[in-house]
């Protein structure tokens, strides 16, 4: 008697948590059969063909070794868009959506008073922040930078897939150096690498598989935040807003960096666990 290779039996035999196994199988049903996720229930007696089965075994074993689901299926939802992700970019996180919310609120305010808001996303990675903003705010003019050419390739491909390639200008380089000039922005947003180099989280979970340069500054965790905050005054219009993501225990240091630069109205946003994860402030009006 042949082995039972139905979806139901694969699901019951796997060592993966069932929600994870379902995500991976749904991905394979789409890839090999163009079937929706509901087929996992509706056709749970279906047997995978040889190619799909081979893919399943490979994905299952990679996931058991800890590879992030987003890299295995090559995509991740962020805000109102879906992004392609690969090991050359950070996997976008829900807390980063706080930056998008703050940016959009400010864009709305500016658009009422003047014309199109100029927005800068420093260290765009997959393009998450820049593309979510461009998608939600059709009038905003968005610039996105990254040091990594691999990341920029992925970000540009995401822009194309989302039909936003004419809305976002991508520039390569280290933080503000990428701009190659003194362009001024209404809003600067950034989720820089802020994990300290000896932080044990770097050797745990998904982080083990993500680009190290996207996670840590190889220092105390504050060096990139410092560069971004110190450069903000030179790249913001009067009353312009800067918002940065940071670690749960860095808000006081980030606030201090901002006040040292003369930034005003320093404020915070908290993530779903109640931790302060974003700090924002304004440049003075003159
Ligand atoms: N801006 C991207 C994101 O928030 C990448 C950030 C990074 O690589 N540190 O997902």
């Amino acid at each position: 008697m042949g082995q039972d290779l139905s979806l139901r039996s694969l699901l019951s035999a796997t060592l993966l948590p069932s929600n994870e196994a379902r995500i991976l199988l749904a991905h394979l049903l789409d890839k090999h059969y163009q079937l929706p996720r509901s087929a996992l229930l509706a056709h749970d007696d279906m047997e995978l063909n040889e190619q799909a089965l081979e893919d399943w075994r490979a994905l299952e074993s990679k996931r058991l070794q800890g590879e992030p689901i987003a890299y295995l299926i090559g995509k991740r939802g962020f805000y109102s868009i879906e992004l392609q992700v690969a090991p050359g970019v950070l996997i976008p996180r829900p807390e980063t959506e706080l930056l998008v919310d703050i940016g959009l609120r400010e864009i709305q305010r500016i658009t009422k008073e003047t014309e199109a808001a100029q927005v800068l996303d420093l260290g765009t990675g997959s393009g998450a922040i820049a593309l979510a903003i461009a998608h939600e705010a059709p009038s905003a003019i968005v610039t996105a930078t990254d040091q990594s050419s691999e990341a920029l390739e992925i970000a540009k491909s995401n822009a194309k897939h989302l039909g936003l390639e004419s809305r976002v200008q991508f520039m390569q380089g280290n933080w503000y150096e990428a701009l190659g000039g003194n362009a001024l922005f209404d809003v600067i947003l950034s989720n820089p690498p802020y994990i300290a180099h000896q932080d044990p989280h770097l050797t745990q979970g998904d982080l083990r598989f993500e680009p190290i340069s996207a996670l840590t500054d190889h220092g105390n965790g504050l060096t990139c935040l410092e560069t971004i905050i110190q450069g903000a005054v030179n790249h913001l219009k009067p009353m312009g807003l800067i918002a940065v993501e940071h670690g749960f225990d860095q808000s006081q240091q980030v606030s201090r960096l901002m006040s040292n630069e003369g930034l005003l109205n320093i404020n915070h946003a908290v993530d779903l666990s109640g931790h302060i994860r974003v700090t924002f402030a304004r440049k003075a009006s003159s």
Side-chain angles (χ1 to χ4, degrees):
M1 209 174 71
Q3 214 184 336
D4 179 3
L5 296 173
S6 66
L7 293 171
R8 186 175 41 221
S9 65
L10 295 178
L11 274 168
S12 77
T14 185
L15 296 173
L16 289 174
S18 93
N19 61 331
E20 296 190 357
R22 284 171 189 282
I23 294 170
L24 296 177
L25 281 171
H27 167 69
L28 292 177
L29 285 174
D30 175 41
K31 177 175 160 194
H32 290 276
Y33 304 93
Q34 292 78 51
L35 279 171
R37 187 192 172 95
S38 57
L40 280 177
L41 287 172
H43 304 296
D44 71 343
D45 54 349
M46 174 181 158
E47 296 210 345
L48 293 185
N49 64 35
E50 213 170 302
Q51 185 57 54
L53 195 63
E54 205 174 289
D55 271 10
W56 161 246
R57 300 277 181 233
L59 290 182
E60 184 189 36
S61 105
K62 286 180 182 174
R63 181 58 193 150
L64 286 169
Q65 287 163 47
E67 280 194 42
I69 298 258
Y71 288 158
L72 294 176
I73 65 173
K75 61 189 181 198
R76 173 67 148 232
F78 178 78
Y79 217 82
S80 51
I81 56 178
E82 187 172 87
L83 294 156
Q84 307 162 6
V85 293
V89 291
L90 190 83
I91 299 165
R93 304 290 204 274
E95 54 271 24
T96 305
E97 295 180 351
L98 294 169
L99 283 175
V100 178
D101 280 333
I102 291 166
L104 288 174
R105 215 190 309 148
E106 183 68 3
I107 291 166
Q108 215 172 27
R109 195 186 68 79
I110 293 164
T111 318
K112 272 188 210 139
E113 288 174 13
T114 55
E115 289 165 26
Q118 302 267 0
V119 183
L120 175 63
D121 172 17
L122 288 171
T124 196
S126 63
I129 298 168
L131 294 171
I133 295 268
H135 183 258
E136 290 292 309
S139 68
I141 298 166
V142 184
T143 303
T145 74
D146 209 289
Q147 199 174 28
S148 152
S149 49
E150 202 181 343
L152 283 177
E153 282 310 308
I154 294 174
K156 284 179 191 169
S157 159
N158 274 318
K160 196 161 181 211
H161 258 84
L162 293 161
L164 296 170
E165 68 265 58
S166 63
R167 301 279 322 286
V168 182
Q169 187 183 9
F170 293 97
M171 306 185 91
Q172 186 172 9
N174 191 25
W175 308 125
Y176 299 102
E177 285 165 31
L179 303 172
N182 279 341
L184 292 181
F185 296 88
D186 297 290
V187 182
I188 297 175
L189 304 170
S190 185
N191 172 25
Y194 51 72
I195 303 176
H197 71 103
Q198 83 290 14
D199 190 314
H201 289 103
L202 290 171
T203 57
Q204 294 166 16
D206 284 4
L207 275 62
R208 291 169 296 165
F209 295 86
E210 293 179 283
I212 192 76
S213 61
L215 297 167
T216 177
D217 61 352
H218 303 285
N220 65 357
L222 289 165
T223 59
C224 296
L225 285 160
E226 193 171 350
T227 303
I228 289 165
I229 293 166
Q230 287 178 347
V233 173
N234 283 332
H235 293 91
L236 281 174
K237 296 182 190 171
M239 292 295 282
L241 185 98
I242 172 164
V244 294
E245 181 174 327
H246 51 70
F248 74 95
D249 55 357
Q250 291 172 325
S251 69
Q252 285 193 354
Q253 287 126 307
V254 169
S255 301
R256 197 167 315 127
L257 287 170
M258 288 181 167
S259 65
N260 287 347
E261 296 307 310
L263 294 165
L264 309 170
N265 303 341
I266 299 171
N267 212 329
H268 309 285
V270 295
D271 67 12
L272 291 170
S273 338
H275 293 122
I276 297 179
R277 298 300 305 284
V278 166
T279 296
F280 53 104
R282 250 178 229 295
K283 181 174 164 173
S285 54
S286 56

